[in-house]
Amino acid sequence: MDDQDKGKIALRIAFIAETKLASVVTTLLEKLQKDEQNRVDIYCVLEKVLQQDTQGLERRLLKKIMTLASNHMRDTQEATNELKVAASNTLVTLARCYFNDVMYELVYHLALLEEFIFITLGNLSSAYALKCIPFVGMILNVMISMLELVKDSRMRQAFCSVLEKCSRAVNVYFTNWEKCPFPRMDESQFCDKNGF
């Protein structure tokens, strides 16, 4: 099956999910657990489904998506980079409606020093700059404590990418702070590690 056919199928499944979200997500999660050969494609379909309004998604399904995706991103044995990218993209898409849940999942696994946890964290900071501001202090404090443990060049690149994207998010915040739903923070609070 070519990419165009896969795209059409993904769109059809997403259309069905508009009325049967829980059933479609449950089926896709079951497939993710059983069908090792097609996980990347299944993640792509799941990502399409999650691009619509998913506010009514059951908590158990939300947790299952986050657990499977974060496990696949951290799996060093079986997971290819393509699978890790697909899992990461799914989490970033899920964060559109469930940002805090996804962010807490990633921060929880941050100390494991996994490349795709950093990549996903950076992508979240880029995609949802204003939403990530309450987490910047926590992220930076954890990362500072891990700095000397980052030895691998790919890991260093992912680590620095998170720092860069968090810095950009702070810049976006300073230019758009009036759009933020949380209390305004000034420059001194960002510089003071106890200010967060």
Side-chain angles (χ1 to χ4, degrees), residues 29-44:
L29 290 173
E30 288 170 3
K31 290 274 191 197
L32 272 175
Q33 290 176 298
K34 295 176 184 172
D35 189 352
E36 293 180 20
Q37 285 186 317
N38 296 306
R39 282 186 176 148
V40 172
D41 293 332
I42 296 167
Y43 269 119
C44 291

Side-chain angles (χ1 to χ4, degrees), residues 59-154:
R59 296 297 298 175
R60 69 178 177 81
L61 294 175
L62 172 66
K63 186 66 179 160
K64 188 83 167 178
I65 294 168
M66 291 188 307
T67 301
L68 277 173
S70 64
N71 285 347
H72 286 140
M73 289 187 323
R74 295 186 334 265
D75 187 357
T76 56
Q77 306 279 318
E78 297 177 23
T80 62
N81 277 349
E82 189 179 21
L83 176 60
K84 291 178 181 185
V85 168
S88 174
N89 290 344
T90 299
L91 284 179
V92 172
T93 300
L94 183 64
R96 193 179 110 260
C97 292
Y98 300 97
F99 182 83
N100 289 352
D101 297 291
V102 173
M103 186 60 89
Y104 281 121
E105 178 75 15
L106 292 172
V107 170
Y108 176 76
H109 294 296
L110 193 56
L112 299 175
L113 287 174
E114 292 289 340
E115 178 186 10
F116 276 87
I117 297 293
F118 288 120
I119 289 170
T120 307
L121 205 51
N123 291 341
L124 280 177
S125 296
S126 290
Y128 309 103
L130 296 178
K131 288 183 178 181
C132 81
I133 293 302
F135 295 91
V136 169
M138 180 177 22
I139 292 167
L140 294 178
N141 282 333
V142 171
M143 290 181 72
I144 286 170
S145 69
M146 299 176 349
L147 188 56
E148 62 189 39
L149 301 174
V150 180
K151 308 246 187 254
D152 176 70
S153 63
R154 284 180 55 163

